[in-house]
Amino acid sequence: MERRISGHTKLYGLIGSPVGHSGSPAMYNYSFEKLGIDAAYLAFDVPLEKTEDALNALRTLNAGGFNVTMPCKTAVAQLVDRLSPAAELVGACNTVVFEEDGTMTGHITDGTGFVRNLKEHGIDIAGKKIVLIGTGGAATAIAVQAALDGVSEIAIFNRKDEFYANGEKTVAKIEKAVPSIGKVYIDDLDDNAALKNAIAESDILINATRAGMSPLEDVLPVPAEFLHKDLVVADVVYNPKETLLLKKAKEAGCRAAVGGIGMLLWQGAAAFELFTGKEMPAQEVMEKFFA
């Protein structure tokens, strides 16, 4: 590292809290070095109430851009100068680029990373019907990006808890912003009949909940008997790499079972390209950091 830091080295970083566990510095710095880019990436532990201070500091330091993790994603979206179409719909951003005039543009790459991960597995979402489980940040980003990328139908399922209203807002936003979509709606995850029918008629099932992640390793987001051979099953959970849902999908002979590790890679790669204008050496990064 010390051999490539110079007086011209451009600063990039991650803000949020906690950030000590993040693999982003290693991934981005490896990619900078591989491509000969004079830049360095650091993680900054920033609590929510210090978000605006952090943005002002990064602007003052003439940073090139930064990534955002919880709990700052929504606050950052309210502070930047402009938002990408997807970030505006989601109401949050995980990537900010400083333009040449010093203004900040906020992006959300979670959805593009998810769609790219499917593409890498030979799956095109355009014209497809999808069932999406969950209404959290990842689910919202995926729903918005899927709508922008031309899916024909989105059925969102979530229990009628405090997060259900967020799904209703997402439906309303998509209906207004993407009127060309055939159908988008939300229903109760506990309504097994509605869930079964939706999955039976869909091309892609997406789990965007914590089901399958520790300590919920033995939890299935949907009954295994609802899976069918024409269905693509995708998970946002990346630890473990093969969740119980993916195991059941393989047992059911589903068309594909796609894990979340690729989404993690490709959302980072999308941010890297926004930062540098160059493609991240994704295959090498995958082998070195995600194998």
Side-chain angles (χ1 to χ4, degrees):
M1 174 69 76
E2 69 277 4
R3 286 178 293 176
R4 55 182 202 86
I5 296 293
S6 74
H8 300 283
T9 301
K10 180 65 72 172
L11 173 66
Y12 295 89
L14 170 70
I15 68 168
S17 186
V19 294
H21 66 286
S22 175
S24 293
M27 177 175 70
Y28 284 102
N29 285 315
Y30 174 83
S31 299
F32 290 149
E33 188 168 13
K34 273 291 181 182
L35 297 181
I37 297 172
D38 189 4
Y41 188 104
L42 299 173
F44 302 98
D45 197 296
V46 176
L48 180 60
E49 65 272 17
K50 294 290 186 180
T51 303
E52 187 170 6
D53 291 344
L55 268 62
N56 290 335
L58 288 164
R59 194 200 302 265
T60 300
L61 293 170
N62 195 31
F66 57 95
N67 291 122
V68 190
T69 188
M70 295 302 289
C72 303
K73 289 184 176 184
T74 301
V76 168
Q78 296 168 352
L79 293 167
V80 296
D81 301 293
R82 65 184 68 85
L83 293 168
S84 70
E88 187 168 0
L89 279 173
V90 174
C93 56
N94 72 341
T95 303
V96 175
V97 176
F98 283 101
E99 310 296 348
E100 290 185 4
D101 61 0
T103 59
M104 293 181 286
T105 301
H107 302 264
I108 185 83
T109 66
D110 292 332
T112 53
F114 180 84
V115 172
R116 177 64 183 271
N117 190 31
L118 288 182
K119 185 177 180 181
E120 291 295 316
H121 287 82
I123 301 152
D124 183 4
I125 68 169
K128 301 296 194 300
K129 294 182 178 181
I130 69 173
V131 170
L132 175 64
I133 311 299
T135 58
T140 303
I142 290 168
V144 165
Q145 194 63 49
L148 292 172
D149 287 352
V151 296
S152 64
E153 182 175 311
I154 303 173
I156 300 172
F157 281 84
N158 199 81
R159 289 189 171 84
K160 288 198 171 179
D161 55 20
E162 65 270 27
F163 301 107
Y164 193 84
N166 187 54
E168 293 176 317
K169 291 176 183 177
T170 300
V171 167
K173 287 179 181 179
I174 290 174
E175 287 178 331
K176 182 178 180 180
V178 192
S180 59
I181 193 168
K183 186 178 181 182
V184 55
Y185 68 95
I186 184 169
D187 212 333
D188 186 358
L189 184 60
D190 289 326
D191 186 340
N192 266 11
L195 179 62
K196 181 179 181 179
N197 289 338
I199 294 174
E201 296 174 359
S202 291
D203 304 293
I204 304 171
L205 169 67
I206 303 163
N207 173 46
T209 75
R210 289 172 52 83
M213 181 191 304
S214 178
L216 306 175
E217 298 98 331
D218 298 325
V219 176
L220 274 174
V222 302
E225 58 267 27
F226 291 178
L227 307 178
H228 56 84
K229 63 181 180 62
D230 296 322
L231 191 67
V232 170
V233 177
D235 211 325
V236 303
V237 174
Y238 59 86
N239 187 17
K241 290 183 180 178
E242 184 178 70
T243 61
L244 180 59
L245 175 64
L246 297 182
K247 290 177 183 177
K248 294 297 183 182
K250 291 177 181 178
E251 291 172 7
C254 291
R255 179 186 162 198
V258 181
I261 195 72
M263 175 184 172
L264 184 66
L265 169 70
W266 290 110
Q267 63 86 22
F272 185 88
E273 189 165 354
L274 287 168
F275 289 153
T276 66
K278 297 182 179 181
E279 290 188 7
M280 176 183 280
Q283 188 58 45
E284 293 178 54
V285 169
M286 173 66 87
E287 292 171 359
K288 186 171 182 65
F289 299 104
F290 300 105

Short mmCIF file of all heavy atoms in Angstrom, two decimals, residues 135 156-170 185-189:
data_model
loop_
_atom_site.label_atom_id
_atom_site.label_comp_id
_atom_site.label_asym_id
_atom_site.label_seq_id
_atom_site.Cartn_x
_atom_site.Cartn_y
_atom_site.Cartn_z
N THR A 135 -39.80 -6.83 2.55
CA THR A 135 -40.05 -5.42 2.23
C THR A 135 -38.96 -4.51 2.79
O THR A 135 -39.15 -3.30 2.89
CB THR A 135 -41.41 -4.96 2.79
OG1 THR A 135 -41.41 -5.16 4.22
CG2 THR A 135 -42.56 -5.72 2.17
N ILE A 156 -45.19 -8.97 -4.21
CA ILE A 156 -44.42 -8.85 -2.97
C ILE A 156 -45.20 -9.50 -1.84
O ILE A 156 -46.40 -9.26 -1.69
CB ILE A 156 -44.16 -7.37 -2.62
CG1 ILE A 156 -43.38 -6.69 -3.75
CG2 ILE A 156 -43.40 -7.25 -1.30
CD1 ILE A 156 -43.25 -5.18 -3.58
N PHE A 157 -44.54 -10.34 -1.06
CA PHE A 157 -45.19 -10.98 0.09
C PHE A 157 -44.41 -10.65 1.36
O PHE A 157 -43.18 -10.75 1.40
CB PHE A 157 -45.26 -12.49 -0.10
CG PHE A 157 -46.37 -12.93 -1.02
CD1 PHE A 157 -46.18 -12.93 -2.40
CD2 PHE A 157 -47.61 -13.30 -0.51
CE1 PHE A 157 -47.19 -13.33 -3.26
CE2 PHE A 157 -48.63 -13.69 -1.36
CZ PHE A 157 -48.43 -13.70 -2.75
N ASN A 158 -45.16 -10.26 2.39
CA ASN A 158 -44.58 -9.97 3.69
C ASN A 158 -45.66 -10.17 4.75
O ASN A 158 -46.86 -9.98 4.47
CB ASN A 158 -44.07 -8.53 3.75
CG ASN A 158 -43.08 -8.31 4.88
OD1 ASN A 158 -41.89 -8.64 4.75
ND2 ASN A 158 -43.52 -7.76 6.00
N ARG A 159 -45.25 -10.58 5.92
CA ARG A 159 -46.23 -10.66 7.00
C ARG A 159 -46.77 -9.27 7.32
O ARG A 159 -46.08 -8.27 7.13
CB ARG A 159 -45.62 -11.30 8.25
CG ARG A 159 -45.35 -12.78 8.06
CD ARG A 159 -44.93 -13.48 9.33
NE ARG A 159 -44.90 -14.91 9.08
CZ ARG A 159 -43.86 -15.56 8.55
NH1 ARG A 159 -42.77 -14.89 8.24
NH2 ARG A 159 -43.90 -16.86 8.32
N LYS A 160 -47.97 -9.21 7.83
CA LYS A 160 -48.58 -7.92 8.13
C LYS A 160 -48.06 -7.38 9.46
O LYS A 160 -48.78 -7.27 10.44
CB LYS A 160 -50.10 -8.03 8.11
CG LYS A 160 -50.65 -8.20 6.70
CD LYS A 160 -52.13 -7.90 6.61
CE LYS A 160 -52.58 -7.87 5.16
NZ LYS A 160 -54.02 -7.59 5.01
N ASP A 161 -46.76 -7.05 9.43
CA ASP A 161 -46.11 -6.49 10.61
C ASP A 161 -45.82 -5.01 10.36
O ASP A 161 -46.41 -4.40 9.46
CB ASP A 161 -44.83 -7.26 10.92
CG ASP A 161 -43.86 -7.32 9.73
OD1 ASP A 161 -44.00 -6.47 8.82
OD2 ASP A 161 -42.98 -8.18 9.72
N GLU A 162 -44.90 -4.45 11.14
CA GLU A 162 -44.62 -3.02 11.01
C GLU A 162 -43.94 -2.65 9.70
O GLU A 162 -43.86 -1.48 9.33
CB GLU A 162 -43.76 -2.53 12.18
CG GLU A 162 -42.37 -3.12 12.25
CD GLU A 162 -42.27 -4.41 13.06
OE1 GLU A 162 -43.30 -5.13 13.14
OE2 GLU A 162 -41.20 -4.69 13.61
N PHE A 163 -43.43 -3.65 8.97
CA PHE A 163 -42.75 -3.39 7.70
C PHE A 163 -43.67 -3.53 6.49
O PHE A 163 -43.26 -3.22 5.37
CB PHE A 163 -41.55 -4.34 7.54
CG PHE A 163 -40.55 -4.20 8.64
CD1 PHE A 163 -40.43 -5.18 9.62
CD2 PHE A 163 -39.73 -3.09 8.72
CE1 PHE A 163 -39.51 -5.05 10.64
CE2 PHE A 163 -38.80 -2.95 9.74
CZ PHE A 163 -38.68 -3.93 10.70
N TYR A 164 -44.88 -3.99 6.70
CA TYR A 164 -45.82 -4.20 5.59
C TYR A 164 -46.10 -2.89 4.87
O TYR A 164 -46.20 -2.85 3.63
CB TYR A 164 -47.11 -4.82 6.11
CG TYR A 164 -48.02 -5.38 5.03
CD1 TYR A 164 -47.82 -6.66 4.53
CD2 TYR A 164 -49.07 -4.63 4.52
CE1 TYR A 164 -48.65 -7.20 3.56
CE2 TYR A 164 -49.92 -5.15 3.55
CZ TYR A 164 -49.70 -6.44 3.07
OH TYR A 164 -50.54 -6.95 2.09
N ALA A 165 -46.24 -1.80 5.64
CA ALA A 165 -46.54 -0.49 5.05
C ALA A 165 -45.44 -0.05 4.09
O ALA A 165 -45.71 0.64 3.09
CB ALA A 165 -46.73 0.54 6.14
N ASN A 166 -44.20 -0.44 4.38
CA ASN A 166 -43.10 -0.09 3.48
C ASN A 166 -43.30 -0.74 2.11
O ASN A 166 -43.03 -0.12 1.07
CB ASN A 166 -41.77 -0.54 4.08
CG ASN A 166 -40.57 -0.06 3.25
OD1 ASN A 166 -40.44 1.13 2.99
ND2 ASN A 166 -39.72 -0.98 2.85
N GLY A 167 -43.79 -1.98 2.12
CA GLY A 167 -44.08 -2.66 0.86
C GLY A 167 -45.21 -1.98 0.10
O GLY A 167 -45.18 -1.88 -1.13
N GLU A 168 -46.21 -1.51 0.82
CA GLU A 168 -47.32 -0.79 0.18
C GLU A 168 -46.82 0.49 -0.49
O GLU A 168 -47.25 0.84 -1.59
CB GLU A 168 -48.40 -0.47 1.20
CG GLU A 168 -49.11 -1.71 1.74
CD GLU A 168 -50.12 -1.40 2.84
OE1 GLU A 168 -49.79 -0.58 3.73
OE2 GLU A 168 -51.24 -1.95 2.79
N LYS A 169 -45.90 1.18 0.18
CA LYS A 169 -45.32 2.39 -0.40
C LYS A 169 -44.50 2.06 -1.65
O LYS A 169 -44.54 2.81 -2.64
CB LYS A 169 -44.44 3.09 0.64
CG LYS A 169 -45.20 3.70 1.80
CD LYS A 169 -44.25 4.30 2.83
CE LYS A 169 -45.00 4.85 4.03
NZ LYS A 169 -44.07 5.36 5.09
N THR A 170 -43.78 0.96 -1.61
CA THR A 170 -42.98 0.54 -2.77
C THR A 170 -43.88 0.27 -3.96
O THR A 170 -43.59 0.68 -5.09
CB THR A 170 -42.14 -0.70 -2.44
OG1 THR A 170 -41.25 -0.39 -1.36
CG2 THR A 170 -41.34 -1.16 -3.64
N TYR A 185 -48.10 -5.77 -6.83
CA TYR A 185 -48.98 -5.76 -5.66
C TYR A 185 -48.27 -6.38 -4.47
O TYR A 185 -47.21 -7.00 -4.60
CB TYR A 185 -50.28 -6.52 -5.97
CG TYR A 185 -50.12 -8.01 -6.17
CD1 TYR A 185 -50.31 -8.91 -5.12
CD2 TYR A 185 -49.79 -8.53 -7.43
CE1 TYR A 185 -50.18 -10.28 -5.30
CE2 TYR A 185 -49.66 -9.90 -7.63
CZ TYR A 185 -49.85 -10.77 -6.56
OH TYR A 185 -49.71 -12.12 -6.75
N ILE A 186 -48.86 -6.21 -3.30
CA ILE A 186 -48.35 -6.82 -2.08
C ILE A 186 -49.45 -7.63 -1.42
O ILE A 186 -50.62 -7.25 -1.47
CB ILE A 186 -47.80 -5.75 -1.09
CG1 ILE A 186 -47.16 -6.43 0.14
CG2 ILE A 186 -48.85 -4.74 -0.70
CD1 ILE A 186 -46.36 -5.48 1.02
N ASP A 187 -49.04 -8.75 -0.81
CA ASP A 187 -50.02 -9.63 -0.15
C ASP A 187 -49.39 -10.19 1.12
O ASP A 187 -48.18 -10.08 1.34
CB ASP A 187 -50.44 -10.76 -1.09
CG ASP A 187 -51.88 -11.21 -0.86
OD1 ASP A 187 -52.37 -11.04 0.28
OD2 ASP A 187 -52.50 -11.72 -1.80
N ASP A 188 -50.24 -10.79 1.92
CA ASP A 188 -49.83 -11.33 3.22
C ASP A 188 -49.08 -12.64 3.06
O ASP A 188 -49.60 -13.59 2.45
CB ASP A 188 -51.08 -11.53 4.09
CG ASP A 188 -50.75 -11.93 5.52
OD1 ASP A 188 -49.56 -12.11 5.85
OD2 ASP A 188 -51.70 -12.07 6.32
N LEU A 189 -47.87 -12.70 3.59
CA LEU A 189 -47.06 -13.92 3.49
C LEU A 189 -47.73 -15.10 4.20
O LEU A 189 -47.46 -16.26 3.86
CB LEU A 189 -45.67 -13.67 4.09
CG LEU A 189 -44.64 -14.80 3.99
CD1 LEU A 189 -44.37 -15.17 2.54
CD2 LEU A 189 -43.35 -14.40 4.69
#
